[in-house]
Each structure stands twice: as C-alpha cells, then as structure tokens.
C-alpha cells in the first residue's frame, strides 16, 4: 500500500462546523409571539406554557391563553420540525376586584389528559376547561383565592383512571384535594394555608408556603415540618410532627365542587431534623397569613456574588427508595395552639423573600432549594419520604429563579452501575459577568458533583440590551411538559454513517487488478451502500425532550445534546490545541480521560452504541497517530492501552497505514475500507503529516521505538484473537493485514536482536507461534520470509499448511548451503529423516530419502528401515532404489538388514559387497597387503597367554573402511547367523584363491566349511599361531572360529564327542609339529592335560616321541589312570547293584507265589495241581 504522505502536499486539517459541548442545546419552538391583540398598549410576556399532543397552550401576563395547533412536519424530511398555527385566544375568568396594580396574569395551566380537562389559575382565580379547545367545564365554576394548582400523583401511569384524577388546590387557609372527572368532587381539606408549591408521590406530598417546606401524609393528615426556604429564618421549626386531622374544617364555599368520601389508611411519617434553624409554631402560624405571599417570578439583583460552597457528603440511604412502614408508631403529638392564640414574634432578620422550588427526581425523593437571598448562592437538598436528607447537596451560583430535574432515560449518559436517580438538575439563575448579571441555565449532573455547565439563553434581543428591557421580557422559566418532541441532530448522522476511505496506489499492475475487480456490479453495490448509509444517517440523531424554556415572547425546547456531539466537540478542540508543544501532554491526558470516562458505559440504543464506538475510535486514532508522529515511544506507548485500541473497533488497517514499516501490509479489498464519516478528516490530517518513523529510519535503526513496536505487536496479537467473530466487517482483508503486519514486525524485531546477541529472543518464540498457528496472508508471508532470508521459519509455515514437499525443499536449500539468517535448523539431515518418517507421500520419501542417503548413508538408510515410519518398504525395493540413486548406501542398508534385523537372506549380498571392498584394496594397494602380513607376524610373536586373532585385529583395527568391512566379512563367513546360514562357497573360494596368503582367517573358515578340518587346524596352528581359536574350533566341530563371546554352547551347536575327538587328534598332531620345541612341549602338555578325556592313552603314547620323559605328560597319564580306575570301580559298583537287584526281584517272586497259593488246573485226563 502506498504511503499516505505521497498523496498530496501536507495541508491543514479541514475544520468542521463547531458544535456545542454543553449537555443541553436550545431549539426554538416559537419566536416573537404576538402575545397581545392589536391596540393593546401594555407589554406582555409569557408566564406559563403547556404542550399536550398537538396543542400548545401559552399563558401570558395579559391574563390570556393562546392556543396553537401543531402541523406535522414533512415525513420525507427527517430533519424538519412541526410548525404551529394560531388557533384561538382565551381570556380566563378572574375576580377583577381582588387584582392589584400588577396582576400576574395566567399563573398556571394544568392539563389533565386522563380526564381531558384543564385547570387554569389566572390572577388568583381557578377555572376549569375541557380539552383540547378549552371550553368551560363544570358549568363555568370558579374557585377564587387560589394560590397554586397541581399536586397530581407523579407515580401514576398514563392509563386513564375510572374515578378521575386527583389534584391539590392551595387556597388561603388550606389545601383541598379535588378529584376531577366528569365532575369536580372534593376529597378532603388539609390544614395548610397559603401553599405556593406542591409535588406529590402517592399519599405523600412535599409542600411549601412563603417561609418553609413541609412533608404531608394526605391520607392520614400528618405533617412533618422540614426546613425554611431562607436559611436566615431562625423561627422555622424543623422536624416537628403535627396531626392536623382534628382541626375542624369550615364549610366549603359555594363553588360547585361537591365533597367526596375519602379512604382512610394509617400511615406514619418519620422524624426529621436539620441545622438550618427552627421557629415556634406560633410564629409559623402568624407568618402563614398569606400577607407576605408574592408573585412567582419576582426577581431581584445584587452585585455581590459570594464564593461557591462545596457540596456536602451524601447521607446514607439516598437511593434506597424506602417508604415509611405502615405500622411505624408516631411520636406523641405536640401541644397545638390555634392560629388565633399564636404569639407574634419578632420580625425576621432577612430582608428578601425566596421562591420555593420543589422537584421529585425519583419516586422516593424530593429536591428542595434553600438560600439566604436571591443574590447569594442557593443550595439544593434531597429529602426522602421519611423526611430525611439524603445524597449530597447541590450548590447553585445564585438562588434559582426556576428549577427542574431531568432524569431522562437510563441510557449511555450514565455509566453502568450508576444510581437509577441519576440525571441533570437545571436551574435558571443570574450569573455575574463583567458587563453585569446575565440570566443563564445552570446544569449539574446529579451523579457527578464536580460537573457543572452553564448555558447562555439565546434571547431574541441584542446582548447589549439594558437590564430593564430584559426584566420586562420576564425571567426564563423551565418546565417538564406532558408531550415530548423529537429534535433532529443531523450532525449525528453526518458523523456516524459510514463512507469509503480510498487509498491511492503507485503500483499500476495492482491498480489495474483492482479496477478489473471493480466491475459494474461492484460499482452498483457501492452506490447502493452509499444510499443506504445516507438513509441510515437520517434515522440517527433524533433526541427526545420534554423540557420547555420561555422568556419574554419566545419559547425554546431544551434538548439533551447527543453524547457524540459533546465528546466530539471536546476532542476537536483538543486536537486544535495539541499542535502546541507546551500543552500537548495535558491535551493527550484529556483524551485519555475521555476514553476512560466511557470505558464502562453501556449503550441501550443503536445511536448510543454507534456514538460510543465513534468516540472510542477517534480517540484511539488520535492518540496512536500523535504518539507515532511525536517520535516519543516511551510517553506515547505507555499512555495507550491495547484494550482501548482493540475495543474501539477501529479497523486496524487505518492505524497500520500510519506506520511506515507496516503500511505496505495493508490489504484493501474490492469493497474498500468503510469508516465513520466523522473520522475521515482526522485520518487525512494525520496521513498528510510527515511521520518521524520513515522506512529508511526503521531499517537503519531497527532498535528505534522498542516500546512503541511492542505496543503495536500486542495490539495486533489482540486483534488476531478476534478471528471468527461475526461482527467484524471485511474479515478476510482485516486479518490478512493484521497477520502480515504482525509477521513483518516480528521479523524486524527478531532479525535485529539476533544480529546483536546471536541468541534466540522472545520475538522468535512469538514468530514461531504465529507461523505454527497459521496466517491468513500466506503468499505475503512467503514473500516476507524470503525477503528476510528466514528459510527455517518458512519451512514451519509450510508445515502448518501440510505442504510436505515445500518443507523438504526448503530444508534442502538450507542444508545445501543457502543462507538462513536465523541459523535455526540444527542437525538438518536428522530433521529431514524424522520428517520423512511422519509423512505418507511415497514419491517424496523416495526422492528425499535417496537424497539424504547420498549425503549421509546411515541417516538415509534409516528413512527406509525405521519401524516407526508411516510407510513401510520391502527390502528388495529399497535395495533397487538405492542401487539406482545412492549406491554408496546399499551396503549400509544391507548391514541393517543382516546385522540389525538378523535377516540372513541378504547376507550373501552383503558378503559380496565386503569381499569386493577388501579385494579391491588388496589389488590396488601393496600397503594393505603389508598391513595384513604384519598383523600375522605381530600376532605370532605374542607369547601365551594371548587373545584370539579376532580379538587382536579388533583391538588393533586400522581406521579404514576396508578393514571394518573385513571384520564384518569374517563375522559373516564364520557363521555368526547360525548353522542354517549358507552362502556361495565356491564363488568365494575362487575369488580369494589368489590372496590365500593375505587372507588366512578367511581361508581357515572356508576350509572348515568344506570339511577340510586338518588343513584348517594346520593354518590356525602354523599360519596364525592362534592356539586358543584352534581349541575352540575342535570344540565346535569346525563350525566357526567366531563363536559367542559369553554363554555356554547349546547342544544344537556342539558336535558329537566322536567328531570332537577326531578334531582333537588332528590338533595334537599339529601341536607335535610346532617348530619351537619349548612351545611344542608347552602346548602339547596343556592340550593333553585339559582335554585328555577326548584321547585314548594308547594312541597318545604311540604318538609321543620316546625321547619325551614321562614327567612331561604326567598330568595326562594321572588323569587317564584315574579315569580308568574310576571306570573299573564304577563297573564293579554297577555289577554289585545289579546282583542285589536280582536278589530283590527273586525274593519278591517267592513272596508273591506264597501269597497266591497252589492253583489246580483241570485237563482232559484229569486234574493237575
């Protein structure tokens, strides 16, 4: 593959449109709404908003409700949003006389979709309407003196309720529970005057008046006083439990709301205490007169901005979700004092009131705010259903103007194992800026105390507008609405859909091949995939949202910014900063932190999965390429984690294309390499930069970047372990690339190590493991191994593919001297022998067995003769093969058959080979004859006792082949293979006849085989002087002069004693003819003394010369006489024993006859007794 640096001159990285890294973004819903009718002089602003289905209801400060209806967007355009058209304008009913100089207008719009009703609070008057057109309901009934409407059960589902939906209405002296259905029915009244905010979970409601928060059990009418809204209020009684069920309820006003029977259930509330201050019940009752209640939305500013305080530690049980036990006993109720008897306390020390804010992030928790003044920081505290503070506190830069909790879906925005209550807290606050206070949205991650972001509100007026102008537009308010929208983020699809990454090539042949493979069908497939990816991208980036924000006359959606856009924007900013060496390390650490932050995330949707994959791939690409470009292996490699590189799922061909040593191993198939579109600019950026590790650098300095190369090696090994995973695209090309790159890298490392130390390295064992387990890039592997001259490794590669012919051919190249850089084939000829014993290809065994026999006859013969070989050959077939291709090995093979396998069938052939070898030397070498003659003279000169001639020539063997052949010849001729062994005696006699004087032992053996024992004994006695062998010859009956060294003769091998006596007679005759008198006397005396039993005394006395004294043969005579006396005595004993035996038999007969008695036999003439 061509280097990417050669494509074009380096250019700057193409900049993309900057994207927000904030957790939320604004999307306009309606802008510059005409809130007032023509001719209306007063400046109006939006006070409340609700969206249900396609109906948008907007309340204004002009005491009007604007009804808009949504027009669906174009279904063919996934990025378009619905448009809204004006439908109607409603002026709710309210009491004009009770309205002050600055009426708040429409304060609340409560839509109850289960019963298709709406409740509207306008200037302190509550009215009811039907949905969706807002026509009056319940006979146009009104409820005056109302300060809040809400309190619907947040734990209910969207399923319709048969008996209606219960809401809570705050009037001056109490809170009234009303069930809205076909009619409005009162459920009960709760003693809690001037309520300003309510949030309810089943029977538990958190409420607030102008001074403090409280927790109510609406079923059993119990109240726990919590903490004050202002922490400066020292009169608040926190943790006090009141039973408010016994207070007499006044008769309900005539308002058309009928009373309904409630359900009684015993429920208790836990105790609670805080350190925010207490006040007496008397002062609290006095303060709840409603006189200090002010219009929601009031705001004051201050130049002071105290420093933020850190969050407090989380209290235990924050996310346990425990509810109060039904049988938990209540503490004794305190003494109650009627409001009329309350004592007026001193005025509060704080000068500014704060609006209460209540949210419920989970079914078991409420989030409440407290502070000191609007200009100072505020604190958010989580309270469970027992009234206990849980979690940690939330710190706001200023006391919030408006607040909500966005829990959202438990998706990729929260890591695995995070609390189910995780989400964001959004607050509208005034932030101190150099040019004055600016209203912003403060966003805090509930699960991350240190993560706070600020969103600038996109006001429709100029930023340099005066504060009074902004104040007239109204403070920004936030609300979770009933219906959600799907905001389109086309930037997500633009980044996540796949595009083909094309690499130009300089090789015209390879380019032509690729163009040929890219037929019309392939082009059509590529175009089809491009269209599919475009359609797929349109499905991505749809983000739901239920949060609306309004200010002045404009409304915005507040949508969670997709994770991919937030992190990608951060990464792009880091990339821009990484060009500066002074902050490069810091920015690289920031990318590593991004990778670590999403390591344990789990995606629940397709978009989230692709987003996490994209961020991981882009981060891995940047870290990998930056470390390579910086030429700093130690810092770059140690920062990267192989697991992160592999788990990112980035095609390894992209990373390898940036490595100078390995870029040529990248394989691109006809379908190309497809990557996320957002990665293309990053790849092009790093591909066009000059890399520090060029090809020349790597080859000239092979030890360069050892740590970096080890990282790449581990990365490639980890990728190899993913073989067989069905989720890998372009699996064939990917693993061809990884295998080739890993092989190239290991060859590079091992060749350098071997050249320095000469000993095997760790990379060599890894190299062996790689080729032994097989590689997908077989042809490329062959080329690389040939390039690095690693022939032995190449043979192992062939072995993995069961290519026996290639294995043997490669080994033959090494053995015959071709360079093997690793020098790894030790004892190559023996390795060939072992390998041939394992294969079954007869033709290869013939070819390489014969080749090995020509080089090393012993090893070559073992190929055909080993019992462990998988292929067995007939001896005659092997002999013919060796005669044709390795004649020198024939003799070795015959020796194996005759001496190893004891196969006498081929002994004659072997004798012929030996005889040819010996006679050829004797014919051509007088020195060989001289050696033989000298050996005879030397042996004869030895004085007894002396070894046999056979032992003598073995101990004094000449280091020449013909001498060893002669020893084997004597062994075969002497009958070492038993009496049944025979050979062509006449042919051998005929061939050695000219050399009888040189081959004396051979002549002796042949004479014995012919029965010419006397001639044989004559040669042994006078020709060799081997008296010991002569005696053995007699004992063995002339069978052989090479008998077993140890062990007794078996009866089958010994001749009859008569034959031995004849041979000993011949031997005595020859001993008496020994020329040396002393030797003659000594040998004869010894023979007669040791073997006298084979001689007759008379014959010996006739043969011995009369001149010999009796003393010379005294031993023989004594033994002979002893033998004669012994024989005579033995005969007498036998005779006596026989006589005694006869007497015993006669006596037994007499006893038998007596026992039988006489017998009478009747004949013709009478009786006979």
């Amino acid at each position: 593959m061509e280097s990417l640096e050669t494509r074009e001159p380096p250019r700057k990285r193409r900049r993309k449109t900057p994207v927000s890294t904030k957790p939320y973004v604004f999307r306009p819903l309606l802008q510059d709404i005409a809130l007032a009718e023509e001719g209306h002089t007063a400046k109006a602003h939006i006070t409340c908003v609700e969206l249900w289905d396609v109906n948008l209801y907007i309340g204004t400060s002009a005491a009007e409700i604007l009804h808009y209806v949504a027009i669906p967007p174009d279904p063919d355009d996934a990025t378009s949003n619905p448009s809204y058209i004006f439908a109607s304008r409603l002026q709710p009913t309210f009491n004009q006389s009770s309205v002050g100089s600055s009426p708040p207008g429409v304060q609340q719009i409560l839509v109850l979709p289960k019963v298709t009703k709406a409740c509207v609070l306008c200037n302190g008057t509550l009215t009811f309407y039907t949905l969706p057109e807002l026509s009056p309901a319940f006979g146009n009934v009104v409820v005056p003196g109302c300060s809040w409407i809400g309190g619907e059960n947040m734990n209910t589902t969207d399923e319709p309720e048969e008996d209606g939906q219960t809401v809570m209405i705050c009037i001056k002296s109490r809170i009234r529970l009303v069930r809205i259905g076909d009619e409005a029915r009162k459920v009960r009244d709760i003693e809690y005057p001037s309520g300003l905010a309510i949030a309810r979970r089943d029977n538990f409601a958190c409420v607030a008046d102008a001074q403090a928060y409280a927790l109510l059990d609406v079923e059993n009418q119990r109240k726990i006083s919590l903490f004050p809204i202002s922490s400066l209020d020292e009169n608040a009684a926190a943790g006090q439990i009141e039973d408010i069920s016994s207070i007499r309820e006044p008769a309900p006003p005539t308002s058309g709301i009928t009373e309904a029977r409630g359900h009684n259930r015993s429920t208790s509330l836990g105790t609670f205490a805080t350190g925010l201050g207490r006040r007496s019940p008397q002062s609290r009752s006095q303060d709840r007169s409603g006189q200090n209640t002010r219009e929601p939305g009031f705001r004051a500013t201050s130049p002071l901005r105290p420093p933020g305080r850190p969050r407090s530690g989380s209290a235990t049980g924050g996310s346990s979700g425990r509810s109060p036990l039904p049988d938990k006993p209540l503490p004794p109720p305190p003494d109650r004092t009627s409001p009329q008897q309350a004592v007026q306390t001193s005025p509060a020390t704080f000068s500014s009131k704060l609006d209460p804010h209540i949210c419920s992030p989970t079914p078991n928790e409420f989030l409440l705010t407290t502070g000191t003044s609007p200009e100072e920081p505020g604190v958010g505290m989580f309270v469970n259903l027992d009234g206990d503070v849980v979690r940690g506190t939330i710190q706001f830069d200023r006391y919030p103007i408006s607040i909500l909790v966005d829990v959202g879906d438990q998706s990729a925005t929260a890591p695995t194992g995070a609390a189910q209550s995780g989400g964001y807290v959004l607050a509208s606050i005034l932030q101190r800026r150099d040019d004055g206070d600016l209203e912003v949205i403060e966003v805090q991650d509930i699960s991350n105390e240190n993560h706070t972001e600020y969103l600038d509100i996109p006001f429709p007026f100029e930023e340099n507008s005066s504060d009074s102008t902004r104040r007239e537009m109204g403070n920004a308010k936030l609300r979770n609405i009933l219906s959600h929208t799907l905001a389109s983020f086309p930037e997500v699809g633009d980044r996540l859909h796949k595009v083909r990454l094309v690499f130009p090539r300089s090789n015209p042949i390879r380019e032509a091949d690729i163009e040929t493979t890219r037929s019309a069908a392939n082009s059509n497939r590529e175009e089809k995939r491009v269209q599919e990816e475009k359609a797929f991208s349109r499905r991505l980036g749809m983000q739901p949202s239920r949060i609306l924000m309004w200010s002045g006359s404009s409304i915005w959606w507040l949508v969670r910014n997709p994770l991919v856009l937030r992190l990608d924007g951060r990464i792009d900013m880091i990339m821009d900063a990484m060009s500066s060496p002074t902050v490069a390390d810091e920015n690289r650490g920031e990318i590593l932190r991004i990778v670590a932050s999403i390591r344990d995330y789990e995606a629940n949707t397709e978009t989230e999965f692709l987003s996490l994959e994209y961020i991981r791939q882009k981060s891995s690409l940047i870290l990998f390429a930056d470390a390579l470009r910086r030429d700093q292996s130690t810092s770059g490699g140690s920062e990267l984690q192989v697991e992160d590189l592999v788990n990112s799922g980035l095609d390894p061909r992209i990373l390898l294309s940036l490595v100078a040593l390995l870029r040529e191993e990248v394989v691109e198939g006809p379908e190309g390499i497809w990557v996320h579109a957002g990665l293309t600019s990053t790849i092009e950026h790093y591909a066009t930069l000059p890399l520090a590790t060029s090809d020349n650098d790597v080859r000239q300095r092979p030890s360069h970047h050892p740590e970096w190369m080890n990282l790449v090696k581990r990365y490639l090994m980890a990728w190899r372990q993913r073989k067989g995973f069905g989720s890998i695209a372009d699996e064939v090309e990917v693993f061809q690339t990884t295998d080739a790159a890993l092989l190239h890298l290991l060859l590079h490392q091992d060749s350098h190590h071997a050249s320095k130390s000469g000993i095997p390295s760790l990379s060599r064992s890894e190299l062996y493991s790689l080729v032994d387990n097989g590689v997908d890039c077989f042809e490329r592997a062959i080329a690389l191994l040939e390039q690095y001259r690693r022939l032995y490794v190449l043979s192992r590669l062939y072995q993995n593919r069961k290519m026996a012919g290639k294995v043997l051919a490669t080994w033959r190249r090494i053995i015959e001297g071709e360079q093997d850089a690793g020098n790894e084939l030790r004892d190559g000829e023996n390795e060939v022998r072992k390998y041939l014993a394992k294969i079954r290809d007869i033709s290869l065994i013939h070819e390489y067995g014969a080749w090995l026999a020509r080089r090393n006859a012993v090893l070559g013969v073992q190929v055909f003769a080993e019992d462990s070989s998988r292929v067995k050959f007939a001896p005659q077939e092997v002999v013919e093969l060796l005669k044709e291709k390795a004649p020198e090995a024939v003799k070795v093979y015959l020796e194996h058959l005759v001496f190893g396998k004891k196969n006498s069938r081929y002994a004659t052939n072997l004798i012929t080979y030996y005889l040819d070898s010996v006679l050829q030397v004797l014919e051509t070498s007088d020195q060989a004859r001289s050696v033989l003659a000298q050996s005879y003279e030397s042996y004869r000169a030895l004085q007894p006792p002396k070894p046999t001639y056979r032992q003598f020539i073995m101990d004094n063997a000449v280091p020449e082949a013909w001498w060893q052949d002669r020893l084997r010849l004597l062994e075969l001729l002497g009958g070492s293979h038993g009496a049944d062994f025979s050979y062509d005696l006449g042919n051998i006699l005929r061939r050695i006849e000219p050399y009888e004087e040189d081959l004396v032992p051979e002549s002796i053996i042949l004479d014995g085989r012919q029965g010419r024992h006397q001639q044989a004994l004559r040669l042994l006695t006078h020709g060799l002087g081997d008296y010991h062998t002569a005696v053995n010859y007699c004992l063995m009956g002339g069978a052989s002069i090479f008998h077993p060294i140890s062990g007794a003769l078996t009866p089958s091998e010994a001749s009859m004693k008569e034959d031995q006596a004849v041979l000993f007679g011949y031997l005595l005759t020859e001993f008496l003819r020994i020329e040396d008198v002393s030797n003659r006397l000594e040998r004869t005396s010894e023979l007669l003394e040791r073997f006298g039993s084979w001689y007759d005394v008379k014959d010996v006395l006739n043969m011995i010369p009369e001149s010999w004294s009796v003393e010379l043969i005294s031993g023989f005579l004594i033994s002979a006489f002893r033998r004669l006396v012994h024989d005579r005595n033995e005969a007498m004993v036998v005779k006596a024993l026989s006589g005694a035996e006869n007497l015993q038999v006669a006596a037994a007969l007499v006893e038998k006859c007596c026992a039988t008695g006489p017998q009478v036999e009747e004949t013709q003439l009478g009786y006979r007794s």
Side-chain angles (χ1 to χ4, degrees), residues 892-942:
V892 178
Y893 182 68
L894 292 175
E895 289 176 343
H896 167 76
L897 294 176
V898 175
F899 296 105
K901 297 296 184 180
K902 304 301 181 184
N903 189 345
S904 60
R905 178 181 175 183
Y906 297 93
T908 301
N909 295 337
L910 186 57
I911 290 174
T912 302
Y913 270 92
Y914 289 150
L915 194 58
D916 291 343
S917 174
V918 173
L919 295 181
Q920 184 179 4
V921 172
L922 295 178
E923 289 177 0
T924 58
S925 175
D926 294 337
Q927 182 181 1
R929 287 188 172 188
S930 174
V931 169
L932 289 176
Q934 186 178 358
S935 67
Y936 300 146
E937 293 177 2
S938 299
Y939 184 76
R940 286 195 296 266
L942 294 177

Side-chain angles (χ1 to χ4, degrees), residues 702-907:
S703 62
H704 200 49
H705 296 330
E707 295 296 330
W708 173 257
M709 289 301 179
N710 285 334
L711 173 70
V712 177
K713 179 174 65 177
R714 294 193 301 272
Y715 169 69
L716 294 174
M717 288 180 174
W719 253 100
R720 275 177 52 84
Q721 295 177 358
R722 306 183 70 180
K723 285 188 177 182
F725 288 15
S727 59
I728 298 177
D730 300 331
E731 182 177 9
V732 175
E733 291 79 12
V734 166
F735 289 113
Q736 284 181 354
T737 299
T738 55
D739 286 356
L742 180 58
L743 178 61
H744 196 163
L745 182 60
L746 291 174
L747 288 171
H748 171 74
Q749 288 185 322
D750 186 58
S751 61
H752 164 66
H753 183 88
S755 63
K756 285 186 62 177
S757 61
I759 58 176
S761 61
L762 175 62
S763 59
R764 179 165 299 184
S765 61
E766 294 170 339
L767 179 62
Y768 289 167
S769 176
L770 174 64
V771 297
D772 290 345
N773 291 323
V775 293
D776 293 349
C777 57
F778 184 69
E779 297 299 330
R780 178 57 183 167
I782 295 174
L784 284 172
L785 293 171
E786 292 283 2
Q787 174 185 341
Y788 279 85
R789 310 303 301 167
R790 301 301 294 272
L791 299 183
Y792 176 71
V793 183
L794 177 61
S795 71
R796 296 183 71 134
L797 179 65
Y798 287 138
Q799 288 185 61
N800 175 261
R801 292 293 184 100
K802 309 298 183 184
M803 303 174 67
K806 294 288 188 180
V807 174
L808 293 168
T810 306
W811 283 352
R812 178 163 62 181
R813 292 167 58 188
I814 299 173
I815 295 171
E816 290 180 348
E818 190 169 343
Q819 180 187 4
D820 179 26
N823 193 24
E824 298 148 280
L825 184 62
R826 309 291 183 179
D827 195 8
E829 293 177 349
N830 195 37
E831 291 295 327
V832 172
R833 177 193 64 80
K834 293 178 182 178
Y835 190 75
L836 290 173
K838 298 176 183 178
I839 64 176
R840 299 181 183 273
D841 193 325
I842 297 178
S843 61
L844 289 177
I845 298 175
H846 282 176
E847 178 183 356
Y848 287 95
W851 169 79
L852 184 59
R854 289 194 298 271
R855 293 184 57 88
N856 189 326
V858 175
L859 291 178
V861 166
Q862 291 181 18
V863 172
F864 302 101
E866 274 190 309
D867 294 332
S868 60
S869 299
R870 293 191 174 184
V871 180
K872 308 298 182 183
F873 294 94
Q876 188 60 35
E877 178 186 359
V878 177
V879 170
E880 295 299 329
L881 175 66
L882 294 178
K883 284 182 179 179
E884 178 183 354
K885 296 185 177 181
E888 298 297 329
V890 175
K891 181 184 69 174
V892 178
Y893 182 68
L894 292 175
E895 289 176 343
H896 167 76
L897 294 176
V898 175
F899 296 105
K901 297 296 184 180
K902 304 301 181 184
N903 189 345
S904 60
R905 178 181 175 183
Y906 297 93

Side-chain angles (χ1 to χ4, degrees), residues 1066-1103:
Y1066 293 154
L1067 183 58
L1068 179 60
T1069 302
E1070 297 302 325
F1071 277 7
L1072 292 174
R1073 294 177 181 175
I1074 296 176
E1075 295 180 358
D1076 186 88
V1077 177
S1078 61
N1079 194 15
R1080 182 196 315 158
L1081 294 175
E1082 185 178 354
R1083 299 279 75 75
T1084 302
S1085 299
E1086 182 183 1
L1087 178 63
L1088 292 174
E1089 186 176 353
R1090 292 179 60 192
F1091 304 101
S1093 60
W1094 274 269
Y1095 293 98
D1096 184 80
V1097 176
K1098 182 179 178 181
D1099 293 340
V1100 172
L1101 293 176
N1102 291 333
M1103 294 175 66

